[in-house]
Structures are given as C-alpha cells and as structure tokens.
Amino acid sequence: MRAYLYVLAFAAGLVTLGTELAASRLLAPFFGTSIVIWTSVIGLFLAALSAGYWLGGKLADRSPRLFTVLRLVMIAAVLIGIAPDLARPVFGLAIKGMAAAKMGLLAGSFLSVMVLLGVPMILLGAVSPFAIRLATRQIEEAGRVSGRLYAISTLGSFLGAFLPVVFLIPSVGTRWTFVIFAILLLAVALAGFLICGKPKWGVLS
C-alpha cells in the first residue's frame, strides 16, 4: 500500500509543476510572458499549495481513508483537463474586469489563474499530508516516511519541470498537455480505487 502512496505523491508533484509551466502558455495570448506574469503564476501556485497542505492535513485526520484523497485527485484531474477550454472566457472576462476596475496586470493575471487553476492546485496540495497520514503506521517512523514522501513528490516535480517544456508542449500543444496530465491523474486514481476496493475498506493501518 505504501508503494502506491509513493506513486500517488510522485504523480501529484509531476502534474502540479507541469501544470504551472503549461499555465504560462494559456496566459501568454492574453497577458504576455513578462516577469510579472510569472510572478502571478508562481505566487498563485504557492498560495494554493499552502492551502492544500492545510486542507489535506485537516481532512486526513478527519477521514484517514485512501478513498477520500482519491476523490480529491479525481476532481483535480477533471478541472485540469477542462482548464484550456475555460481559459479564453475566464481570461477574457478578467481583461474586461481589469479595465473596469483599473486593476494592475499582476492582480489581474493572479486572479485569472486563481479562478482557472486555484481549486485543482489546492486539491493536489492535499495529497502529500494525506499520503503521510496514511503511510505512517508508528509515530517513530513519521520523520522517515514524511521525508521519503516529500522527496518522491519533489522528484515528480523535477520531472514535471522538464516534461511539458521539452516534450509535451512542442509535440502535442498546450491543450493536450493539460489533457495528458488529467489522464495521468485519473489513471493513478483508478489504480487506487482498485486497491482500496469499496469505500468502507479504505482505512489504512
């Protein structure tokens, strides 16, 4: 069971950073690619992950079941998969709102990314504390388990930093990059559902 949690943490880390880099391509036609845009993207993702860590820790203590975190992952996957289709209307409204409210580029782009990708990033942020809670069987091993899971998640993020830029976006484009990330999360979640069986069997000991 722990092996699966490592796979889940790796996939969440990969998709999180991969989505962050791909998001800049969605923003580019509307807001450009300046350092201001990158600041808003990075800031939003860090804020969302912070909220996700808090939420994941709280939910993990309340419902320490694999089934619970898998539902969060599936929701995140669906939202990531449809993000490119929602980008044009969301960003178009944001630009109009920026003009009406005399909002700066940083605030406008930040709010745009928050609306489009804030929720799925929060949900993916919840994966690591959930995985730590489920994988830890004894308090004496909490440090070792958490360190290993964060290391594996970060390795996933390392791959996610290169995969969209070097291969996916040049090969299949931005939209399909998001779709592939969504399919990857759905596949990993489906494997988890097969492992945990019915919801009542989802408690890990």
Side-chain angles (χ1 to χ4, degrees):
M1 191 67 69
R2 277 185 178 176
Y4 171 76
L5 291 172
Y6 296 150
V7 172
L8 181 62
F10 182 87
L14 187 158
V15 172
T16 297
L17 198 58
T19 301
E20 179 177 352
L21 291 172
S24 65
R25 293 295 298 268
L26 293 180
L27 282 162
F30 300 90
F31 298 97
T33 57
S34 68
I35 192 171
V36 172
I37 301 305
W38 275 107
T39 299
S40 65
V41 171
I42 295 171
L44 181 280
F45 273 66
L46 290 175
L49 289 175
S50 178
Y53 297 150
W54 176 85
L55 177 66
K58 187 173 182 178
L59 291 178
D61 285 340
R62 180 180 299 177
S63 178
R65 301 171 182 267
L66 181 59
F67 184 79
T68 303
V69 69
L70 293 180
R71 285 186 295 181
L72 301 182
V73 172
M74 291 198 72
I75 294 171
V78 171
L79 293 175
I80 289 171
I82 65 175
D85 298 316
L86 298 177
R88 183 172 295 276
V90 169
F91 294 162
L93 288 173
I95 291 175
K96 293 179 181 178
M98 286 170 58
K102 297 182 179 180
M103 188 183 303
L105 182 62
L106 178 61
S109 57
F110 182 89
L111 291 175
S112 299
V113 180
M114 182 177 68
V115 170
L116 189 66
L117 293 169
V119 172
M121 291 305 104
I122 290 173
L123 297 179
L124 289 182
V127 170
S128 290
F130 238 111
I132 292 170
R133 174 66 173 82
L134 296 176
T136 302
R137 299 188 180 98
Q138 298 177 353
I139 189 63
E140 292 81 5
E141 62 180 6
R144 183 171 65 253
V145 169
S146 60
R148 188 177 300 157
L149 277 163
Y150 275 116
I152 290 172
S153 176
T154 302
L155 285 175
S157 297
F158 175 80
L159 180 59
F162 292 94
L163 189 60
V165 175
V166 175
F167 178 70
L168 288 178
I169 293 176
S171 300
V172 300
T174 303
R175 183 179 186 279
W176 276 101
T177 297
F178 277 86
V179 172
I180 289 170
F181 285 150
I183 292 173
L184 172 62
L185 284 179
L186 289 173
V188 172
L190 178 60
F193 282 121
L194 295 176
I195 290 172
C196 71
K198 295 181 180 180
K200 66 181 180 179
W201 298 342
V203 178
L204 301 181
S205 58

